[in-house]
Amino acid sequence: GQQLNQSPQSMFIQEGEDVSMNCTSSSIFNTWLWYKQDPGEGPVLLIALYKAGELTSNGRLTAQFGITRKDSFLNISASIPSDVGIYFCAGHNDYKLSFGAGTTVTVRA
Amino acid sequence: NAGVTQTPKFQVLKTGQSMTLQCAQDMNHEYMSWYRQDPGMGLRLIHYSVGAGITDQGEVPNGYNVSRSTTEDFPLRLLSAAPSQTSVYFCASARNFIDSPLHFGNGTRLTVT
């Protein structure tokens, strides 16, 4: 399958901090998507990016579709406790969606 | 609107047993798919369907069968369960996949002993 490299694997956040994560691939994708998964639930779509170079916001979330179509990043501004969870990037080609391994976000004690 | 419904939520099988994981969606979505989620590996596509009567293999199809006799339902069958199939399974659907994102169910946690 197509390999998506997502980083970091995990991060600790303090309320109010900005958070960044990114995804790279050796393959070109037509669409990049970012999902969030809470414990015991399925992933939920956060942002969808359909055009190379596109920068899209959804509330405190901002994501960009890299100009080469091989990468994307997600920023979360002014994090709040409910931002904890696992974030997945996903690239879409044909009828298949390939996922990164996820970034686990937890609250710093 | 129930969205994507998966049953059961939890299942324990012995090696060699068979079972069917059920998935139903009430959104009239043409595209449906099955993923498995294992620690540190993200979600991997098992099988998918672009419409009733049409199925195709994903990244990790071995050991699994699917059928799509109706638009609403997309069951996943394990014919002879193996410990390597211990995982969390997610069903997902989309209006047409090309320009509409996937909606996921809440998963089935399967343990094979």
Side-chain angles (χ1 to χ4, degrees):
Chain A
Q2 294 164 321
Q3 191 88 15
L4 272 73
N5 300 306
Q6 189 172 346
S7 65
Q9 264 189 318
S10 61
M11 61 169 56
F12 293 89
I13 62 169
Q14 198 139 25
E15 192 170 347
E17 280 182 342
D18 294 346
V19 170
S20 286
M21 59 195 78
N22 67 75
C23 220
T24 60
S25 171
S26 56
S27 303
I28 289 173
F29 288 107
N30 296 325
T31 303
W32 280 93
L33 304 151
W34 285 92
Y35 285 85
K36 178 176 183 261
Q37 185 179 27
D38 292 324
E41 298 183 11
V44 173
L45 181 71
L46 297 175
I47 288 184
L49 301 154
Y50 296 105
K51 205 161 40 167
E54 180 182 354
L55 183 72
T56 296
S57 292
N58 178 8
R60 293 178 298 105
L61 307 176
T62 302
Q64 182 153 35
F65 189 155
I67 198 74
T68 64
R69 293 165 61 194
K70 292 183 179 181
D71 62 296
S72 178
F73 71 74
L74 175 72
N75 287 342
I76 307 172
S77 63
S79 56
I80 59 178
S82 62
D83 288 335
V84 302
I86 306 176
Y87 292 78
F88 292 100
C89 63
H92 163 198
N93 274 339
D94 300 323
Y95 289 102
K96 299 177 185 177
L97 198 59
S98 301
F99 283 82
T103 295
T104 301
V105 176
T106 50
V107 176
R108 187 181 290 140
Chain B
N1 189 340
V4 179
T5 302
Q6 289 184 239
T7 55
K9 286 192 189 317
F10 301 94
Q11 182 71 49
V12 179
L13 291 177
K14 290 189 184 342
T15 297
Q17 284 185 314
S18 63
M19 82 156 295
T20 299
L21 279 61
Q22 301 292 344
C23 176
Q25 51 88 13
D26 61 359
M27 298 174 282
N28 202 31
H29 284 174
E30 290 296 321
Y31 180 90
M32 296 185 75
S33 55
W34 277 100
Y35 287 83
R36 60 176 289 173
Q37 183 177 26
D38 301 294
M41 299 189 73
L43 292 98
R44 292 181 292 168
L45 181 64
I46 304 172
H47 285 285
Y48 65 97
S49 167
V50 299
I54 307 168
T55 63
D56 209 341
Q57 295 182 348
E59 186 185 348
V60 287
N62 292 341
Y64 307 95
N65 281 352
V66 291
S67 59
R68 185 93 181 272
S69 54
T70 67
T71 298
E72 294 77 20
D73 300 298
F74 191 44
L76 178 73
R77 276 183 285 279
L78 285 72
L79 296 177
S80 179
S84 61
Q85 293 178 304
T86 293
S87 188
V88 182
Y89 291 85
F90 288 99
C91 178
S93 72
R95 186 164 47 83
N96 60 28
F97 193 70
I98 298 300
D99 61 2
S100 59
L102 284 179
H103 296 262
F104 283 84
N106 282 335
T108 294
R109 185 175 292 275
L110 176 68
T111 302
V112 183
T113 61

